[in-house]
Amino acid sequence: MKTKIAGLIFLSFAATIFAANINTLAIIPLPQKIALHDGTFNLAAGTRVYVDSASRATGKYLTERLRPSTGYPLKTSTKYFGSTAIPDGILLTTKNADTKLGPEGYELTVATNSIVIRAPTQAGLFYGVQTLFQLLPPEIFSTNLVSNVAWQIPCVQIEDWPRFKWRGFMLDVSRHFFSKPEVETFLDAMALHKMNVFHWHLTDDHGWRIEIKKYPKLTQVGAWRAGGGFGFDPKSTTAYGPDGRYGGFYTQDDVRDVVKYAAARHITIVPEIEMPGHATAALSAYPELGCTNGPFEPSMTAGIFYGIYDPAKEQTFVFLADVLTEVAQLFPGPYIHIGGDEVPKETWKNSADCQALMKREGLKNEEELQSWFTRRIEKIVNARGHSMIGWSEILQGGLAKNAAVMDWIGGAKEAAGAGHDVVMTPTAYCYFDFYQSTNQTAEPKAAAWGGPLTLNRMYAFEPMPTNVPPQLQSHILGAQGNLWTEQIPNLKHAEYMTFPRACALAEVTWSAKDSRDWDDFMRRLQIHVRRLDELNINYRHAAVETPEPNLLK
Ligand code: TNX
């Protein structure tokens, strides 16, 4: 019996030592260039991590992430000032880095007795560290000590950089409130996939989630609702309080913590404050800012968008300027998202004050009124040192001067043609709230107005719109997946909707277009989901167990 076990152990060791070929590597998103060499580097308790002083935080992140599973008391050291490999050491350095790798690129060299990650910036080094984790066995992500795994890293030479600079994920925390630790688990998952923009959808009809000191009622009143509103019992959600209220909000200290947590993972946060529509929660607190007297009630059901600010009241702009002042101070930028989607124009049509305003300003229709509103808001955003971004609809009636557009229902070509930057989030490819399969009865509840959006479809997404000519393509910053949460009352459900589709989107936005290979992605995904298992991230297992057809052929 003993010899049998020893034999098995030997066999599994032999497998890890000798079976290294390119098909055993499972990095997602796929790096730009990989060369695999013979041999492995053995991570051991005595391995040292050397950093130059600028790279100390990245080194600390590396050692802290390696500690729980390996149990190794790894420490970073700045005692070494050179820039070449050190025996038995992992060196992280920006010295002598090739600037051609760009602001997020890195080079990773694993030899049998040394590892070097070299990058022009800390973001690049951080991504090199992410790749290093994925060269180790998936158990490296365990939060518990793992004793039966050999921590071997295959010898490789990797050069890597992202295809797009915007690799985003949007979380709607208005329809369902996700706590600060829940938001942070998403930020960690983003880092694993080298995603770098977290779009935080902080306000909508169903809840105002960010503390604004000057307007305390926004969160005292607007952060709570009595009913679930989308066919579920609020008691069954994770944001139901013992006081019988459903919802929650982030204090400004919470926001600062999340901003810091994101920055440590090289993630920029784009806060979204919805206007002029999707404003019911704000109006439930300050009904005087609406066109009608309300009442405004955040417990409404889906599909009714009646909360809209009144642009004919100066008070509305005073309020929004005050809110944006506090938001601008909390988020280092560069963007503030002002929403702009699905504005119920009927309300403005029926308002004598709005009609009078339109006449005064020579505005032909309510679309132009929205554009007039958006231009005023853009000045406010710009004056606070930020750039404005909004959904497709901000194009209607004329686009504000420097605004960027988030294309969910079109507009990329027009916006790029007029010199504006664009982020692609088309519903057909980027909506994590859509069903992931045609068999809806076998799936947890999802948004059914679009989709299904299967994993292979997301993998076949091409962010660069075919109608944008080459000279304007630099305006397409990248792409983003959106998780709207009308149907999603807890974190595990949210993760299920997001993964593994986000793994596909990460590859679409990071890796070279011509390297996309569905079969190879599915091979790597089999290993990658073991990382998600270790990290306790939920995902749609069926997507991995029953591979879908290749849509790239
Ligand atoms: C459209 S996408 C919306 C959201 C909903 C989503 C549901 C966009 C800019 N607006 O308010 O949550 O559909 O799929």
Side-chain angles (χ1 to χ4, degrees):
M1 184 63 187
K2 253 190 189 152
T3 44
K4 223 178 182 177
I5 292 171
L8 276 178
I9 291 170
F10 173 75
L11 264 182
S12 63
F13 262 88
T16 30
I17 293 167
F18 302 117
N21 66 56
I22 205 92
N23 291 329
T24 58
L25 301 182
I27 304 164
I28 290 180
L30 187 72
Q32 302 284 343
K33 290 185 189 172
I34 312 181
L36 183 70
H37 303 299
D38 289 342
T40 53
F41 177 95
N42 293 326
L43 187 71
T47 304
R48 297 299 295 262
V49 175
Y50 298 91
V51 292
D52 52 42
S53 54
S55 311
R56 212 180 290 214
T58 311
K60 196 160 167 252
Y61 174 84
L62 170 65
T63 54
E64 281 175 4
R65 287 302 300 266
L66 293 175
R67 200 167 297 138
S69 53
T70 63
Y72 297 157
L74 303 172
K75 288 217 163 58
T76 58
S77 163
T78 46
K79 291 220 174 72
Y80 174 77
F81 298 104
S83 66
T84 49
I86 312 153
D88 299 322
I90 302 175
L91 172 65
L92 307 187
T93 185
T94 53
K95 284 192 193 133
N96 300 333
D98 183 353
T99 52
K100 283 205 289 294
L101 292 165
E104 297 184 293
Y106 65 93
E107 228 175 316
L108 166 62
T109 310
V110 181
T112 50
N113 67 346
S114 68
I115 294 177
V116 179
I117 306 178
R118 199 186 299 281
T121 68
Q122 291 306 310
L125 280 186
F126 182 80
Y127 294 136
V129 163
Q130 295 302 330
T131 298
L132 185 64
F133 292 147
Q134 295 199 14
L135 288 169
L136 279 153
E139 292 83 358
I140 198 71
F141 290 104
S142 172
T143 45
N144 301 315
L145 186 66
V146 180
S147 49
N148 56 349
V149 166
W151 302 116
Q152 294 177 324
I153 305 172
C155 293
V156 286
Q157 168 67 33
I158 291 177
E159 267 179 59
D160 200 11
W161 60 88
R163 180 179 171 204
F164 289 105
K165 63 179 170 200
W166 189 300
R167 304 176 301 280
F169 170 68
M170 191 215 78
L171 183 64
D172 170 5
V173 296
S174 173
R175 275 60 175 267
H176 176 73
F177 176 69
F178 291 89
S179 67
K180 184 175 81 164
E182 290 176 331
V183 168
E184 290 173 350
T185 62
F186 271 110
L187 295 172
D188 279 324
M190 286 178 69
L192 171 71
H193 294 92
K194 303 187 175 82
M195 297 174 89
N196 66 347
V197 181
F198 177 61
H199 173 171
W200 207 0
H201 186 78
L202 286 164
T203 77
D204 209 306
D205 295 312
H206 308 91
W208 182 284
R209 304 300 180 204
I210 177 172
E211 178 191 24
I212 300 294
K213 303 268 190 203
K214 203 161 182 180
Y215 298 95
K217 281 196 286 180
L218 284 172
T219 43
Q220 285 164 0
V221 176
W224 309 97
R225 64 194 204 248
F230 297 100
F232 56 78
D233 178 358
K235 288 198 185 71
S236 69
T237 81
T238 48
Y240 181 76
D243 56 358
R245 295 196 303 174
Y246 176 46
F249 68 92
Y250 312 101
T251 64
Q252 295 203 350
D253 280 342
D254 288 337
V255 169
R256 275 185 280 271
D257 287 348
V258 173
V259 166
K260 215 165 131 202
Y261 197 90
R265 286 150 186 77
H266 299 276
I267 295 169
T268 302
I269 301 189
V270 177
E272 181 179 351
I273 307 295
E274 272 264 23
M275 62 188 82
H278 284 285
T280 312
L283 296 178
S284 72
Y286 298 98
E288 61 274 22
L289 302 175
C291 291
T292 63
N293 290 329
F296 299 101
E297 170 46 59
S299 286
M300 64 190 221
T301 45
I304 315 160
F305 321 105
Y306 66 105
I308 178 170
Y309 293 112
D310 185 350
K313 286 180 186 143
E314 259 329 280
Q315 205 186 341
T316 299
F317 291 96
V318 172
F319 166 81
L320 290 171
D322 287 342
V323 168
L324 290 168
T325 299
E326 294 191 30
V327 170
Q329 281 164 0
L330 287 167
F331 294 93
Y335 287 104
I336 292 179
H337 200 302
I338 57 100
D341 60 310
E342 299 179 321
V343 176
K345 303 274 165 35
E346 283 305 311
T347 316
W348 284 350
K349 272 196 184 116
N350 296 332
S351 153
D353 289 348
C354 288
Q355 294 304 314
L357 166 66
M358 285 165 60
K359 212 163 165 200
R360 227 171 33 244
E361 296 290 334
L363 305 169
K364 288 198 288 294
N365 51 39
E366 287 70 24
E367 280 69 34
E368 287 193 8
L369 178 55
Q370 182 172 353
S371 171
W372 177 87
F373 170 90
T374 309
R375 284 172 212 257
R376 280 194 70 168
I377 295 298
E378 184 182 36
K379 287 205 190 82
I380 295 169
V381 171
N382 290 167
R384 282 149 188 74
H386 286 66
S387 302
M388 191 180 88
I389 185 164
W391 298 108
S392 295
E393 290 95 322
I394 67 165
L395 273 161
Q396 296 167 3
L399 188 52
K401 217 160 94 235
N402 303 308
V405 173
M406 201 165 258
D407 175 346
W408 72 288
I409 44 167
K413 180 175 176 264
E414 296 79 352
H420 296 262
D421 285 341
V422 178
V423 176
M424 298 305 299
T425 67
T427 55
Y429 294 99
C430 294
Y431 272 43
F432 290 133
D433 61 328
F434 289 170
Y435 279 99
Q436 316 187 53
S437 134
T438 45
N439 186 4
Q440 293 189 3
T441 49
E443 293 292 321
K445 218 169 159 209
W449 67 271
L453 178 41
T454 48
L455 178 65
N456 57 352
R457 189 171 165 82
M458 204 166 243
Y459 193 71
F461 169 46
E462 172 45 34
M464 187 57 69
T466 47
N467 60 4
V468 173
Q471 70 276 15
L472 297 174
Q473 290 184 354
S474 62
H475 285 300
I476 308 298
L477 303 181
Q480 174 177 295
N482 297 331
L483 184 63
W484 301 102
T485 56
E486 289 95 329
Q487 321 294 334
I488 302 174
N490 62 63
L491 177 67
K492 287 296 141 198
H493 189 161
E495 290 175 344
Y496 179 93
M497 301 308 288
T498 309
F499 303 101
R501 288 188 290 192
C503 312
L505 191 66
E507 185 142 312
V508 162
T509 50
W510 179 283
S511 308
K513 183 182 174 189
D514 58 11
S515 73
R516 245 187 276 167
D517 176 335
W518 171 248
D519 294 332
D520 186 60
F521 173 73
M522 286 307 291
R523 176 192 65 73
R524 284 178 284 125
L525 191 61
Q526 304 282 339
I527 297 165
H528 191 70
V529 293
R530 286 169 53 201
R531 299 177 184 129
L532 301 184
D533 288 334
E534 295 293 351
L535 292 164
N536 196 24
I537 295 173
N538 193 22
Y539 57 93
R540 182 171 181 267
H541 288 242
V544 189
E545 285 151 13
T546 319
E548 296 153 6
N550 186 357
L551 296 180
L552 287 169
K553 277 182 190 151

